[in-house]
Amino acid sequence: NNTGGLSDVGRHAILAALESRKEPPIIEKITVITEHPEKLNEKNWDSGSCPDGHTNPFDDPENASRLKMVKIDTWKDELPNLSEHFVGASAVVSCLGHRQPGWKYPELKKRGLVAYDGNRRVIAAMEEANVERVVTISSFAINGDRSWPHPASKFMACLFKTFMRKARKDLEAMEDAYVRSSLDYLIVRPVGIGEDVVETGRYYLQVPGEDAVGGNMAKMDAARFMIDEAVRPTLHRCSQTVGSKHGTPM
């Protein structure tokens, strides 16, 4: 299952999941649950990996047997039948709330913050459907995180305490909801996702005590990490900072 968040990493996660046929375990079914299926029709996905633009993966006949779209009206309201779309899922990837409202995306203010509201409904649906594994996306410098030893980490923490307080509170509440849950969660903290960055097919995990991972990461590489951890989990009930190759400039 891929839930919400079709603005940035989320829609790339669909492509990463479709790639899974190249090596086991193969992802046979992908259910996308979102308020905004029309985001997949946009040609420009703000990604340096696709200079010629994208086409909606649901329009490709080869994907018809693997993809299912579930449109919801809003993550703000109760969704009593949500769990039926999680039954039988091996894992969930949630990108809800990764793109936060603000000066760059003022149109999102109309819909409101959804990281906490959306993910708490995901948590409830997963527990009801007996699905354990979930990989969700957040941010570095959240909830006291200091895992990325880079000057930008302190700068981001300052932004979260001042201009981005609402976004910080929303993401922190989301993270806390997963910690309180019974789920086998992984909170992903990508650093410096760039709209012009070309994918490398690699991602680099921040290891405590080692040099900072690169702070300019392609959306597709972040998506691949999330999908890899969903189907081949190595990190459990924790968070992980991930970036590009060491020394990559921001």
Side-chain angles (χ1 to χ4, degrees), residues 22-85:
K22 298 178 181 178
E23 59 182 276
I26 296 171
I27 302 175
E28 296 289 354
K29 298 288 185 179
I30 304 162
T31 300
V32 180
I33 306 172
T34 181
E35 292 179 77
H36 304 290
E38 71 279 1
K39 298 293 291 183
L40 294 174
N41 292 323
E42 295 178 359
K43 185 175 182 179
N44 180 12
W45 288 13
D46 295 320
S47 173
S49 299
C50 43
D52 297 326
H54 277 287
T55 57
N56 189 331
F58 280 81
D59 292 339
D60 187 341
E62 291 189 5
N63 299 331
S65 64
R66 300 179 67 196
L67 290 176
K68 176 184 177 182
M69 175 65 72
V70 176
K71 185 185 183 306
I72 63 168
D73 291 331
T74 176
W75 291 103
K76 293 288 186 180
D77 296 336
E78 294 292 336
L79 299 168
N81 299 319
L82 184 63
S83 64
E84 68 185 42
H85 302 297

Side-chain angles (χ1 to χ4, degrees), residues 186-237:
L186 172 64
I187 296 170
V188 177
R189 305 189 189 282
V191 295
I193 289 178
E195 295 188 350
D196 299 322
V197 183
V198 177
E199 65 187 87
T200 65
R202 298 283 302 276
Y203 48 76
Y204 298 81
L205 307 189
Q206 181 63 58
V207 177
E210 294 190 2
D211 292 340
V213 295
N216 217 4
M217 186 181 194
K219 296 176 182 179
M220 191 63 182
D221 290 333
R224 288 188 177 115
F225 172 62
M226 296 185 73
I227 294 298
D228 284 349
E229 275 295 325
V231 299
R232 291 178 288 275
T234 64
L235 299 161
H236 303 275
R237 290 190 62 84

